[in-house]
Amino acid sequence: MSTFIYSPNHGRIVFGTGTLKELPAELEKLNASQPLVLSTPEQLSQAESVSALLHGKVAGIFSETRMHTPTDVTRKACDRATTSKADYVISIGGGSTIGLGKAISIRAGLPHIAVPTTYAGSEVTPILGETENGVKTTRSDPNILPSTVIYDVDLTLTLPVYLTATSGINAMAHAVEALYAQNTNPVISLMALEGIKALAESLPVLAKNPFSKSARHSAFYGAWLCGTCLGHVGMAIHHKLCHTLGGSFDLPHAQTHTIILPHALSYNAPNIPDVMAALAKALPGSEGDAVRGLNVLLDSIKVDRSLKSLGFKEEDIDRAAELALRKPYYNPRKIEQPRIRELVRRAWAGEDARVDL
């Protein structure tokens, strides 16, 4: 076994069914009395349910969260936290809302409790992605990590089937790249494969029966493991492409990850044979081919496979490929512009991924 370093992140995890009711006790442990509750406009009712659970003892509700954590929204939310004298932040929602909570936490020095309602995984990473002037950048800092995460399976029962599928593949992408990260290690690889397997088995079930509690439980468990992987290791070309497409072209986060993942994996496949073999075992229907396994999985959960379905224009393919090459992340295979351009074109067209780039 090769030499490695594993430094686990700190943070408290409360996982189960009906666990949102533990929120008052968690706040009491943390000596918090005036949390600012965050949500998107669409999830305002969930923020209001948190306020009701706390008997209205909150600094207020900020429901103006937007995708990709624009810095102008963060500044507005920080001002609201200051004027309301908030001593804590509670985010309830998906990756966008949790991202805003992390941004406020690191900027204003306020502790953060995250209550995820999707499978994004942001709640267990010390990584913050922010967008300013059409460019999305990321940074990592242990202080970005929420102090407590409450996973309540009940909160995912009403997650629409399409968002269930795309946020689940978004989570899976974290674990796939963790398997070939520059600083991966055996512990993370075990967690990654377990998380991928849990999602690959539960997402097709949820596509047919979104109210299956056992499948919801398995998917949330997988998402937690996959997000934890991302929180410990670096990213590669998959995340670089998704950050580019999201930050510079305003494409939706989870859907973009879903479309790009099999193509990014196929790009790196020639240089990661051991990872491909392990992945194939975790993906039902792969028949020994991990790229095939991902194609089969995406077909079974009936998600959009093309960037053009998200509004991405064919004439922007060259610019996206060029932007993705700027300040490149580590990648197990050399990044070459013509091949990346073809990867983006295939994703735009909605073609099945294939290992011939």
Side-chain angles (χ1 to χ4, degrees):
M1 183 177 290
S2 60
T3 301
F4 67 90
I5 296 174
Y6 174 63
S7 180
N9 290 330
H10 298 290
R12 179 175 169 82
I13 304 296
V14 181
F15 190 103
T17 298
T19 47
L20 183 61
K21 68 179 182 295
E22 302 298 327
L23 180 59
E26 293 299 317
L27 283 170
E28 187 175 348
K29 288 185 181 75
L30 299 164
N31 295 317
S33 59
Q34 287 201 121
L36 179 66
V37 184
L38 310 175
S39 75
T40 61
E42 296 78 13
Q43 291 181 295
L44 175 59
S45 62
Q46 289 185 319
E48 290 172 339
S49 69
V50 167
S51 177
L53 182 64
L54 299 175
H55 305 291
K57 295 179 180 179
V58 298
I61 294 174
F62 184 88
S63 61
E64 299 175 45
T65 298
R66 283 168 41 207
M67 287 192 307
H68 307 302
T69 321
T71 53
D72 60 322
V73 174
T74 298
R75 286 190 287 269
K76 186 175 181 180
C78 284
D79 289 343
R80 178 71 180 280
T82 300
T83 57
S84 65
K85 297 182 180 179
D87 61 358
Y88 233 89
V89 176
I90 297 173
S91 59
I92 181 164
S96 297
T97 304
I98 291 168
L100 177 59
K102 291 157 79 171
I104 297 171
S105 179
I106 193 66
R107 288 180 181 230
L110 295 178
H112 177 198
I113 290 180
V115 185
T117 61
T118 72
Y119 305 129
S122 175
E123 65 279 356
V124 283
T125 76
I127 301 164
L128 173 62
E130 297 180 287
T131 303
E132 187 164 22
N133 299 323
V135 177
K136 188 169 186 176
T137 58
T138 63
R139 57 172 164 152
S140 181
D141 186 316
N143 294 316
I144 291 172
L145 194 71
S147 58
T148 302
V149 180
I150 297 177
Y151 289 97
D152 187 341
V153 174
D154 287 347
L155 296 179
T156 67
L157 292 174
T158 56
L159 187 65
V161 171
Y162 187 75
L163 288 178
T164 294
T166 55
S167 72
I169 300 299
N170 178 18
M172 188 180 290
H174 304 331
V176 169
E177 286 220 314
L179 288 169
Y180 54 74
Q182 188 174 24
N183 56 340
T184 194
N185 62 71
V187 178
I188 290 300
S189 292
L190 285 170
M191 295 176 71
L193 291 169
E194 173 74 0
I196 291 165
K197 184 174 183 291
L199 284 163
E201 291 176 349
S202 58
L203 292 179
V205 175
L206 292 171
K208 297 177 181 178
N209 179 15
F211 299 106
S212 168
K213 272 203 171 184
S214 60
R216 288 287 181 189
H217 192 284
S218 180
F220 228 2
Y221 167 70
W224 165 52
L225 291 174
C226 292
T228 300
C229 292
L230 180 66
H232 282 84
V233 298
M235 296 174 282
I237 188 59
H238 168 83
H239 279 84
K240 179 63 175 181
L241 283 166
C242 292
H243 292 160
T244 298
L245 292 165
S248 298
F249 300 92
D250 202 32
L251 299 189
H253 185 80
Q255 292 94 317
T256 302
H257 275 270
T258 298
I259 293 165
I260 292 295
L261 179 59
H263 297 286
L265 181 64
S266 70
Y267 182 89
N268 283 324
N271 289 52
I272 51 170
D274 291 346
V275 167
M276 297 299 289
L279 261 177
K281 293 178 182 179
L283 294 169
S286 68
E287 297 182 6
D289 179 345
V291 173
R292 170 188 161 80
L294 273 179
N295 284 328
V296 169
L297 174 61
L298 295 182
D299 287 343
S300 73
I301 59 178
K302 296 179 173 57
V303 291
D304 290 331
R305 300 290 302 273
S306 70
L307 293 176
K308 64 181 174 182
S309 71
L310 305 182
F312 183 68
K313 299 176 182 178
E314 186 176 12
E315 55 264 35
D316 286 330
I317 292 173
D318 286 313
R319 180 166 173 254
E322 188 272 326
L323 287 172
L325 267 67
R326 294 182 185 177
K327 298 181 180 178
Y329 301 170
Y330 161 82
N331 197 66
R333 182 181 179 186
K334 183 180 178 181
I335 301 299
E336 299 176 358
Q337 197 277 340
R339 298 181 192 276
I340 294 300
R341 197 250 181 225
E342 173 60 10
L343 186 163
V344 177
R345 188 206 64 77
R346 292 179 184 183
W348 168 82
E351 298 175 8
D352 270 2
R354 55 190 189 275
V355 186
D356 62 357
L357 282 169

